[in-house]
């Protein structure tokens, strides 16, 4: 480095350099006023500016250069500017030979400050040519981009890592998985995927709150990380699910050993919110290439294997079972078909009606509307499974309300033709999701009914007994509002589930249907007969009508008549019928 320069000599160099730039005739007009303005701009620019000769020796720097690098101009004057560049500036050094021809380069470089710290800069280099086109020097302008690079790194981290646990996210895992597939296909090797699902996480989240759930997930993530090798890829798939990629030659035995280590790591209870919570996991293992040829197939196989482990009781691991994979694939197909059907219910579903009879008078006293899915491949004879699946998919409320609307229109049609069917009460089954306002963003049930009917006294809504095990006040309020509309309420499946009779006594229930399994045993089981009689008398004391359902033969009907209910429903009395067939049947039945 050269000795310090006087301020006067530096001013002279500045003027000479500005005149050098002006000599090109492209940027400046060579007047004393413009030269002074250019000199001021050189000094006050917030970008670092360096003028070098053709051999890249420093002639002049501006104050921003010192601010960014820590070097004063006199400390670098005459030095090769490249001495400040760090080894990481590969792109610049590769383009250096071409700079004399192109006259311009721009890109990222890494420079070394006076204190030795290396930092990134965005650098532009422009050649200065004389009238003959010969390069007389270079002007370099640069800005420090440490903050930008830091933000970029943070964005990259956020884009590829789970914000809660810091583990790889699905996107980053997919990248690793694709590289593993490419490598395995190229080398003929294998690898494994582990799909991990925590067995009892939801109760923790529901009972202790989301903050405790997040704390649990973080501590589980630490344990999983410690149980794996440094080369294994651990990712959070979402919720309480994690993925592990065992790359490069992992065998069935290797994958099983890792699964056992994971289960061992989760054996000790996890301290969350001051409580020690037991935790375990179900782990599904899929191997390439036997369990899948691409990422989608492998993840699906590992997922099905995980469900097999969970169905076996949890706290275990399972390899892919082709039979289970087939069943799960079938289940997915059915779910997709049902979702499509609910979107277009008019073409996908039909409603049948089963008469309810008074055994004492022999007359039809009501109807139950039952849903049938037109697609013969799925649930044609298992409507309860259809409803259960719709509930799982969050579609049951929408389907229930479509049924109620169709039944209301059918009743109006019967009334318009003068049919006696238009005067009968009609029962419709609904899921208990209607009873819990927080489970749906739809209108409350009573408000929906006000929109479609003026008089709801003909409508009976049936709710499964198990739905009333808990005692939420919201349910009582809804029942009272429905009662004010004239809606009758009935219990379904009595005798096949739990029932809180103390709670039942406070609800405006008017009917209860005894489960068909009990009715079918009446002919051969005297104790079932006495049980039916006891249920009938108990319901009478609560002023609740008892209806026996599932009467399938004369023997059951005869046995039932000895003990109680005079209202009955079943295929022995009348099978479920479409509306057009029901009209003919009703006329002939009451002829």
């Amino acid at each position: 480095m050269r000795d310090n320069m006087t301020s006067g000599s530096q001013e002279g160099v500045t003027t000479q350099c500005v005149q050098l730039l002006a000599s090109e005739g492209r940027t400046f007009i060579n007047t004393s006023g413009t030269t002074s303005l250019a000199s001021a701009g050189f000094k006050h620019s917030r970008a670092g500016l360096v003028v070098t000769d053709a051999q890249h020796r420093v002639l002049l720097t501006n104050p921003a250069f010192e601010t960014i690098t820590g070097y004063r101009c006199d400390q670098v004057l005459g030095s090769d500017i490249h001495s400040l560049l760090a080894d990481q500036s590969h792109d610049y050094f590769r383009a250096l030979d071409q700079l004399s021809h192109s006259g311009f380069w721009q890109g990222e470089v890494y420079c070394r400050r006076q204190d030795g710290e290396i930092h990134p800069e965005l650098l532009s280099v422009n050649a200065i040519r004389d009238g003959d086109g010969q390069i007389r020097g270079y002007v370099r302008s640069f800005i420090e981009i440490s903050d930008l690079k830091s933000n970029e790194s943070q964005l990259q981290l956020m884009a590829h890592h789970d914000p809660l646990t810091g583990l790889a996210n699905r996107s980053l895992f997919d990248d690793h998985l694709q590289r593993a597939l490419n490598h395995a296909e190229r080398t003929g090797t294998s690898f494994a995927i582990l799909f991990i699902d925590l067995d009892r996480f939801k109760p923790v989240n529901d009972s202790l709150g989301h903050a405790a759930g997040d704390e649990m997930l973080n501590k589980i993530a630490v344990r999983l990380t410690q149980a794996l090798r440094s080369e294994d890829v651990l990712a959070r798939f979402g919720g309480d699910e994690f993925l592990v990629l065992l790359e490069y030659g992992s065998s069935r035995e290797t994958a099983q050993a890792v699964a056992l280590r994971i289960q061992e790591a989760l054996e000790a209870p996890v301290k969350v919110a001051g409580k020690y919570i037991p935790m375990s996991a179900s782990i599904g293992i899929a191997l390439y290439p036997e369990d899948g040829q691409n990422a989608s197939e492998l993840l699906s196989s590992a997922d099905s294997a995980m469900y097999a482990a969970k169905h076996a009781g949890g706290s275990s691991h399972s390899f892919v079972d082709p039979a289970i994979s087939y069943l799960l694939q079938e289940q997915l197909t059915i779910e997709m078909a049902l979702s499509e059907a609910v979107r277009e219910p008019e073409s996908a579903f039909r409603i049948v009606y089963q008469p309810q009879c008074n055994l004492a008078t022999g007359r039809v006293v009501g109807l139950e509307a039952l849903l049938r899915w037109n697609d013969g491949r799925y649930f044609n004879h298992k409507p309860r499974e259809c409803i259960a699946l719709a509930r799982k998919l969050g579609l049951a409320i929408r389907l229930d309300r479509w049924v109620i609307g169709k039944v209301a229109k059918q009743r109006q049609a019967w009334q318009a033709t003068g049919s006696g069917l238009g005067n009968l009460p009609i029962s419709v089954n609904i899921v208990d999701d209607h009873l819990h306002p927080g489970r749906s963003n739809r209108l409350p049930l009573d408000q929906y009914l006000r929109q479609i009917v003026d008089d709801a006294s003909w409508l009976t809504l049936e709710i499964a007994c198990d739905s009333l095990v808990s005692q939420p006040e919201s349910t009582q309020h809804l029942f009272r509002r429905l009662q004010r509309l004239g809606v009758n309420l009935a219990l379904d499946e009595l005798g096949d589930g739990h029932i809180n009779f103390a709670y039942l006594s406070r609800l405006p229930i008017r009917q209860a249907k005894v489960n068909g399994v009990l009715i079918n045993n009446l002919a051969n089981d005297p104790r079932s007969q006495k049980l039916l009689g006891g249920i009938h008398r108990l319901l009478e004391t609560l002023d609740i009508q008892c209806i026996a359902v599932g009467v399938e033969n004369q023997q059951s009907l005869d046995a039932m008549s000895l003990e109680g209910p005079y209202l009955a429903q079943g295929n022995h009395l009348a099978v479920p019928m479409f509306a057009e067939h029901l009209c003919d049947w009703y006329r002939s039945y009451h002829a």
Side-chain angles (χ1 to χ4, degrees), residues 173-481:
F173 184 86
D174 286 345
D175 290 343
H176 282 285
L177 178 54
Q178 191 57 54
R179 285 200 295 269
L181 281 164
N182 295 339
H183 179 270
E185 184 177 357
R186 187 171 63 253
T187 60
T189 55
S190 62
F191 63 88
I193 291 177
L194 276 61
F195 199 120
I196 304 170
D197 183 89
L198 302 183
D199 291 327
R200 290 178 291 273
F201 176 74
K202 189 175 186 301
V204 174
N205 210 42
D206 291 345
S207 60
L208 299 182
H210 293 294
D214 290 348
E215 183 183 356
M216 168 74 77
L217 290 172
N218 271 311
K219 291 186 174 181
I220 293 296
V222 171
R223 291 193 184 187
L224 293 177
T225 302
Q226 293 171 345
L228 298 172
R229 304 166 300 185
S230 59
E231 63 266 27
D232 299 330
V233 179
L234 172 63
R236 185 181 175 208
F237 188 71
D240 60 347
E241 295 176 331
F242 299 85
L243 290 168
V244 177
L245 175 61
L246 308 178
E247 295 188 67
Y248 311 130
S250 293
S251 64
R252 187 183 184 93
E253 291 73 19
T254 303
Q256 185 171 36
V258 173
L260 291 172
R261 284 207 308 273
I262 290 173
Q263 289 167 340
E264 183 179 355
L266 298 179
E267 283 181 357
V270 182
K271 187 177 182 181
V272 174
K275 302 177 184 297
Y276 285 91
I277 310 295
M279 187 56 59
S280 62
S282 299
I283 304 173
I285 304 172
L287 299 170
Y288 175 86
E290 52 263 47
D291 297 327
Q293 298 294 313
N294 54 49
S296 177
E297 291 177 359
L298 285 168
L299 288 172
S300 177
S301 295
D303 186 35
S304 66
M306 181 273 292
Y307 275 107
K310 190 170 287 292
H311 291 160
S315 190
S316 62
H317 64 274
S318 176
F319 288 91
V320 175
D321 183 331
I324 293 177
S325 296
Y326 174 79
L327 290 175
L328 290 174
Q329 186 60 44
E330 280 292 296
Q331 178 75 4
L332 178 60
T333 302
I334 293 171
E335 290 177 2
M336 293 173 62
L338 182 58
S339 298
E340 183 66 29
V342 173
R343 282 195 289 270
E344 299 289 341
E346 294 291 340
S347 60
F349 298 101
R350 294 196 66 184
I351 297 172
V352 294
Y353 298 86
Q354 186 167 36
Q356 298 168 340
C357 300
N358 185 317
L359 300 181
T361 64
R363 299 192 64 82
V364 175
V365 294
L367 303 170
E368 180 179 5
L370 301 166
L371 186 68
R372 293 292 184 266
W373 190 0
N374 285 343
D375 194 325
R377 295 172 297 172
Y378 311 121
F379 304 116
N380 204 25
H381 303 293
K382 298 179 180 179
R384 290 189 184 278
E385 293 184 26
C386 175
I387 296 300
L389 181 56
R391 183 178 179 184
K392 172 188 172 185
L393 299 175
L395 303 171
I397 288 181
R398 180 177 176 182
L399 196 54
D400 281 351
R401 296 187 179 187
W402 177 81
V403 171
I404 293 171
K406 291 293 289 183
V407 170
K409 291 179 180 178
Q410 182 59 63
R411 180 176 178 274
Q412 291 171 355
W414 283 330
Q415 289 181 323
T417 60
S419 171
L421 293 170
N423 299 320
L424 295 176
I426 305 176
S427 300
V428 176
N429 281 280
I430 62 172
V431 296
D432 69 349
D433 291 19
H434 294 276
L435 311 182
H436 304 282
R439 296 186 186 177
S440 171
N441 58 3
R442 295 179 179 272
L443 279 175
L445 183 56
D446 59 311
Q447 294 184 32
Y448 168 74
L449 291 175
R450 289 180 189 277
Q451 291 183 347
I452 64 169
V453 294
D454 296 324
D455 173 24
S457 60
W458 57 271
L459 177 63
T460 298
L461 296 177
E462 298 182 6
I463 302 158
C465 285
D466 285 345
S467 304
L468 302 179
V469 172
S470 61
Q471 305 178 34
E473 289 189 8
S474 59
T475 297
Q476 297 186 54
H477 293 324
L478 175 61
F479 281 2
R480 299 297 179 191
R481 297 199 305 271

